[in-house]
Short mmCIF file of all heavy atoms in Angstrom, two decimals:
data_model
loop_
_atom_site.label_atom_id
_atom_site.label_comp_id
_atom_site.label_asym_id
_atom_site.label_seq_id
_atom_site.Cartn_x
_atom_site.Cartn_y
_atom_site.Cartn_z
N GLU C 1119 21.99 3.83 5.46
CA GLU C 1119 22.78 3.88 4.22
C GLU C 1119 22.67 2.57 3.45
O GLU C 1119 22.64 2.56 2.21
CB GLU C 1119 24.25 4.21 4.50
CG GLU C 1119 24.86 3.47 5.65
CD GLU C 1119 26.30 3.93 5.94
OE1 GLU C 1119 27.14 3.68 5.06
OE2 GLU C 1119 26.54 4.53 6.99
N ILE C 1120 22.58 1.44 4.19
CA ILE C 1120 22.43 0.17 3.47
C ILE C 1120 21.12 0.16 2.70
O ILE C 1120 21.07 -0.25 1.55
CB ILE C 1120 22.47 -1.01 4.46
CG1 ILE C 1120 23.87 -1.14 5.05
CG2 ILE C 1120 22.10 -2.30 3.76
CD1 ILE C 1120 24.02 -2.27 6.02
N ALA C 1121 20.08 0.66 3.35
CA ALA C 1121 18.78 0.69 2.68
C ALA C 1121 18.85 1.55 1.43
O ALA C 1121 18.30 1.19 0.38
CB ALA C 1121 17.72 1.22 3.64
N ILE C 1122 19.55 2.68 1.55
CA ILE C 1122 19.66 3.56 0.38
C ILE C 1122 20.39 2.84 -0.75
O ILE C 1122 19.98 2.87 -1.92
CB ILE C 1122 20.40 4.86 0.76
CG1 ILE C 1122 19.50 5.72 1.65
CG2 ILE C 1122 20.81 5.64 -0.48
CD1 ILE C 1122 20.19 6.87 2.27
N GLU C 1123 21.48 2.14 -0.37
CA GLU C 1123 22.26 1.45 -1.39
C GLU C 1123 21.43 0.36 -2.06
O GLU C 1123 21.45 0.18 -3.28
CB GLU C 1123 23.49 0.83 -0.74
CG GLU C 1123 24.61 0.60 -1.73
CD GLU C 1123 25.92 0.25 -1.03
OE1 GLU C 1123 26.02 0.44 0.19
OE2 GLU C 1123 26.82 -0.19 -1.74
N ILE C 1124 20.66 -0.37 -1.21
CA ILE C 1124 19.81 -1.42 -1.77
C ILE C 1124 18.82 -0.82 -2.75
O ILE C 1124 18.61 -1.34 -3.85
CB ILE C 1124 19.06 -2.16 -0.63
CG1 ILE C 1124 20.02 -3.08 0.11
CG2 ILE C 1124 17.91 -2.96 -1.19
CD1 ILE C 1124 19.37 -3.84 1.22
N ALA C 1125 18.24 0.30 -2.35
CA ALA C 1125 17.24 0.92 -3.22
C ALA C 1125 17.86 1.31 -4.56
O ALA C 1125 17.28 1.07 -5.62
CB ALA C 1125 16.65 2.15 -2.54
N SER C 1126 19.09 1.87 -4.49
CA SER C 1126 19.70 2.31 -5.75
C SER C 1126 20.06 1.11 -6.62
O SER C 1126 19.90 1.14 -7.84
CB SER C 1126 20.93 3.17 -5.48
OG SER C 1126 22.02 2.35 -5.17
N LEU C 1127 20.51 0.02 -5.96
CA LEU C 1127 20.82 -1.18 -6.74
C LEU C 1127 19.57 -1.74 -7.39
O LEU C 1127 19.57 -2.13 -8.55
CB LEU C 1127 21.42 -2.25 -5.82
CG LEU C 1127 22.93 -2.25 -5.68
CD1 LEU C 1127 23.35 -3.34 -4.73
CD2 LEU C 1127 23.55 -2.51 -7.04
N GLU C 1128 18.49 -1.76 -6.62
CA GLU C 1128 17.25 -2.29 -7.18
C GLU C 1128 16.82 -1.45 -8.36
O GLU C 1128 16.30 -1.95 -9.35
CB GLU C 1128 16.16 -2.32 -6.11
CG GLU C 1128 16.26 -3.53 -5.21
CD GLU C 1128 15.32 -3.48 -4.04
OE1 GLU C 1128 14.78 -2.39 -3.79
OE2 GLU C 1128 15.14 -4.50 -3.36
N GLU C 1129 17.07 -0.14 -8.21
CA GLU C 1129 16.75 0.78 -9.31
C GLU C 1129 17.55 0.39 -10.55
O GLU C 1129 17.01 0.27 -11.65
CB GLU C 1129 17.12 2.20 -8.86
CG GLU C 1129 16.69 3.27 -9.81
CD GLU C 1129 15.22 3.55 -9.71
OE1 GLU C 1129 14.62 3.23 -8.66
OE2 GLU C 1129 14.67 4.06 -10.67
N GLN C 1130 18.87 0.18 -10.32
CA GLN C 1130 19.73 -0.16 -11.46
C GLN C 1130 19.32 -1.48 -12.08
O GLN C 1130 19.36 -1.65 -13.29
CB GLN C 1130 21.17 -0.33 -10.97
CG GLN C 1130 21.93 0.97 -10.83
CD GLN C 1130 23.34 0.68 -10.35
OE1 GLN C 1130 23.88 -0.37 -10.62
NE2 GLN C 1130 23.91 1.61 -9.64
N LEU C 1131 18.95 -2.42 -11.20
CA LEU C 1131 18.65 -3.75 -11.69
C LEU C 1131 17.23 -3.86 -12.19
O LEU C 1131 16.80 -4.92 -12.58
CB LEU C 1131 18.86 -4.78 -10.57
CG LEU C 1131 20.30 -5.04 -10.20
CD1 LEU C 1131 20.36 -5.91 -8.97
CD2 LEU C 1131 20.99 -5.74 -11.33
N GLY C 1132 16.50 -2.76 -12.13
CA GLY C 1132 15.10 -2.79 -12.53
C GLY C 1132 14.95 -3.54 -13.83
O GLY C 1132 15.70 -3.34 -14.78
N ASN C 1133 14.02 -4.47 -13.86
CA ASN C 1133 13.89 -5.31 -15.04
C ASN C 1133 13.49 -4.52 -16.27
O ASN C 1133 13.60 -4.99 -17.37
CB ASN C 1133 12.86 -6.41 -14.78
CG ASN C 1133 13.52 -7.61 -14.14
OD1 ASN C 1133 14.70 -7.85 -14.38
ND2 ASN C 1133 12.79 -8.34 -13.34
N SER C 1134 12.99 -3.30 -16.02
CA SER C 1134 12.42 -2.56 -17.15
C SER C 1134 13.47 -2.35 -18.23
O SER C 1134 13.23 -2.56 -19.41
CB SER C 1134 11.91 -1.22 -16.65
OG SER C 1134 12.95 -0.53 -16.02
N ALA C 1135 14.70 -1.97 -17.79
CA ALA C 1135 15.73 -1.70 -18.79
C ALA C 1135 15.99 -2.96 -19.61
O ALA C 1135 16.10 -2.90 -20.83
CB ALA C 1135 17.00 -1.25 -18.10
N GLN C 1136 16.08 -4.09 -18.90
CA GLN C 1136 16.37 -5.31 -19.62
C GLN C 1136 15.23 -5.68 -20.55
O GLN C 1136 15.45 -6.10 -21.69
CB GLN C 1136 16.61 -6.44 -18.62
CG GLN C 1136 17.39 -7.57 -19.23
CD GLN C 1136 17.51 -8.74 -18.33
OE1 GLN C 1136 17.29 -8.64 -17.14
NE2 GLN C 1136 17.86 -9.87 -18.88
N GLU C 1137 14.01 -5.50 -20.06
CA GLU C 1137 12.86 -5.82 -20.91
C GLU C 1137 12.88 -4.98 -22.17
O GLU C 1137 12.65 -5.47 -23.27
CB GLU C 1137 11.56 -5.58 -20.13
CG GLU C 1137 11.32 -6.56 -19.01
CD GLU C 1137 11.03 -7.95 -19.52
OE1 GLU C 1137 10.28 -8.07 -20.50
OE2 GLU C 1137 11.57 -8.91 -18.97
N ASP C 1138 13.16 -3.67 -21.99
CA ASP C 1138 13.19 -2.79 -23.16
C ASP C 1138 14.24 -3.27 -24.16
O ASP C 1138 13.98 -3.35 -25.35
CB ASP C 1138 13.53 -1.35 -22.73
CG ASP C 1138 12.38 -0.73 -22.01
OD1 ASP C 1138 11.31 -1.37 -22.00
OD2 ASP C 1138 12.53 0.36 -21.46
N LEU C 1139 15.42 -3.59 -23.61
CA LEU C 1139 16.50 -4.02 -24.49
C LEU C 1139 16.10 -5.29 -25.21
O LEU C 1139 16.32 -5.43 -26.42
CB LEU C 1139 17.74 -4.26 -23.62
CG LEU C 1139 19.07 -4.26 -24.33
CD1 LEU C 1139 19.26 -2.97 -25.09
CD2 LEU C 1139 20.19 -4.41 -23.32
N LEU C 1140 15.48 -6.21 -24.47
CA LEU C 1140 15.08 -7.48 -25.07
C LEU C 1140 14.12 -7.23 -26.22
O LEU C 1140 14.28 -7.77 -27.31
CB LEU C 1140 14.43 -8.38 -24.02
CG LEU C 1140 13.93 -9.73 -24.51
CD1 LEU C 1140 15.08 -10.56 -25.03
CD2 LEU C 1140 13.25 -10.49 -23.41
N SER C 1141 13.12 -6.38 -25.97
CA SER C 1141 12.14 -6.20 -27.04
C SER C 1141 12.75 -5.47 -28.22
O SER C 1141 12.40 -5.74 -29.37
CB SER C 1141 10.90 -5.47 -26.51
OG SER C 1141 11.28 -4.32 -25.85
N SER C 1142 13.72 -4.57 -27.96
CA SER C 1142 14.30 -3.87 -29.10
C SER C 1142 15.18 -4.83 -29.91
O SER C 1142 15.15 -4.82 -31.13
CB SER C 1142 15.09 -2.65 -28.64
OG SER C 1142 16.39 -3.01 -28.30
N HIS C 1143 15.93 -5.69 -29.21
CA HIS C 1143 16.74 -6.68 -29.94
C HIS C 1143 15.85 -7.63 -30.71
O HIS C 1143 16.13 -7.96 -31.86
CB HIS C 1143 17.61 -7.47 -28.96
CG HIS C 1143 18.81 -6.71 -28.52
ND1 HIS C 1143 19.86 -7.28 -27.86
CD2 HIS C 1143 19.15 -5.41 -28.65
CE1 HIS C 1143 20.78 -6.37 -27.60
NE2 HIS C 1143 20.36 -5.23 -28.07
N LEU C 1144 14.78 -8.05 -30.06
CA LEU C 1144 13.88 -8.99 -30.74
C LEU C 1144 13.29 -8.35 -31.98
O LEU C 1144 13.10 -9.02 -32.99
CB LEU C 1144 12.76 -9.42 -29.79
CG LEU C 1144 13.08 -10.64 -28.94
CD1 LEU C 1144 11.95 -10.89 -27.97
CD2 LEU C 1144 13.30 -11.86 -29.78
N SER C 1145 13.01 -7.05 -31.90
CA SER C 1145 12.39 -6.44 -33.08
C SER C 1145 13.37 -6.42 -34.24
O SER C 1145 12.99 -6.56 -35.40
CB SER C 1145 11.87 -5.04 -32.75
OG SER C 1145 12.93 -4.15 -32.72
N LEU C 1146 14.67 -6.27 -33.93
CA LEU C 1146 15.66 -6.34 -35.01
C LEU C 1146 15.72 -7.75 -35.61
O LEU C 1146 15.80 -7.92 -36.82
CB LEU C 1146 17.03 -5.94 -34.47
CG LEU C 1146 17.16 -4.46 -34.10
CD1 LEU C 1146 18.42 -4.22 -33.32
CD2 LEU C 1146 17.15 -3.61 -35.35
#
Side-chain angles (χ1 to χ4, degrees):
Chain C
E1119 44 184 294
I1120 292 180
I1122 289 169
E1123 203 168 347
I1124 285 180
S1126 79
L1127 269 179
E1128 279 172 346
E1129 188 76 22
Q1130 278 180 29
L1131 288 172
N1133 273 331
S1134 57
Q1136 201 187 343
E1137 291 291 318
D1138 288 352
L1139 200 55
L1140 179 62
S1141 51
S1142 86
H1143 282 193
L1144 271 175
S1145 78
L1146 291 168

